[in-house]
Amino acid sequence: MREDLDSDTGSDPASAPLVSVVIPAYGRPEYLPEAVRSVVEQTYDAVEILVVDDCSPDPVEPALTAFVEDPAVDLTVVRHPVNRGANAARNTGIEESSGEFVAFLDDDDYWRPEKLERFVDAFERAGPGVGVVYGGVDVVDGDGETVRSVRSSRRDDVTKALLRGENVVGGFSNPVVRRSVVEAAGPTDTRFPSWQDREWYLRLSTHCEFEYVDEQLTVRRMASHGQISDDFERKRDVSFPLFVHKHRSTAAEYGMERRFVAERSRAVAAAAIRTGNFRSALPFLLRSLFYYPLDWKTYAFLALALAGPSTLERVRRVRRRVGV
């Protein structure tokens, strides 16, 4: 780690709270070293790194030799004997780590050097009621050029926003979470083939407040290197019924049961449309309208489902042109 701690942290490495950074890895050794390097080069020093190799076809540890052999880098590589999925790898990292704060970094994403310093400072300023800190995200293409910047301003109690389907935090590479909140809410749910991050944030939000750092400190890479595709059938058959069953009572407590079911129904329909299953989208859109007929986005998706692939492609071309 770097030796030049910023004076704003107000503490030295020996007394600063430890951040455990968990990097689940599978079969992308060309990106993994950059992800690890972005953690090593943080301006915050009290960091341990756990790379969890989810039984990659070729072990990832040889790609990290320079870091493993560097005595200044606190890095451990754990390898699953069988492939168990990214969420299981994240949970292994939680179990094997010891930091007061836990962060995840996907093996094809990376952080800007000031991220952990800014986030730990936000925790210390906000107090113990805040259990999750997140920030802005830059999305880059295969050449490293920023194609989209994602910002949010949600703070404090974000449960209602999450139940409405707002993408408050984004992917796992963004937030840092207080370990005591992870212990209260539980680890990520390995039963979900999709929406794992949203599901976990919703559980976390019932145990703590969220804080936002208004800086673009996380970089998400969008490139054609085998990222998980939008699997409509698994959303329809597994994620949707499980998500609704698990969180419907929470939505009812907030007086949002119908809106919650409508939003998740529309999310399934959106996945159907994106994958060309236009007819399959219709029953979910009708269900969404039945439960909550006041959301204009549902009508927009209904129009796309009825119009078919030519209209969808025109919409995609417009979105690419304006960078959204």
Side-chain angles (χ1 to χ4, degrees), residues 45-73:
D45 250 20
V47 177
E48 64 173 359
I49 307 170
L50 294 100
V51 175
V52 183
D53 181 353
D54 192 29
C55 197
S56 297
D58 296 310
V60 303
E61 187 165 1
L64 304 175
T65 300
F67 302 111
V68 172
E69 294 179 350
D70 187 342
V73 177

Side-chain angles (χ1 to χ4, degrees), residues 21-32:
V21 179
V22 177
I23 305 178
Y26 181 80
R28 292 194 284 240
E30 69 274 28
Y31 294 102
L32 178 59

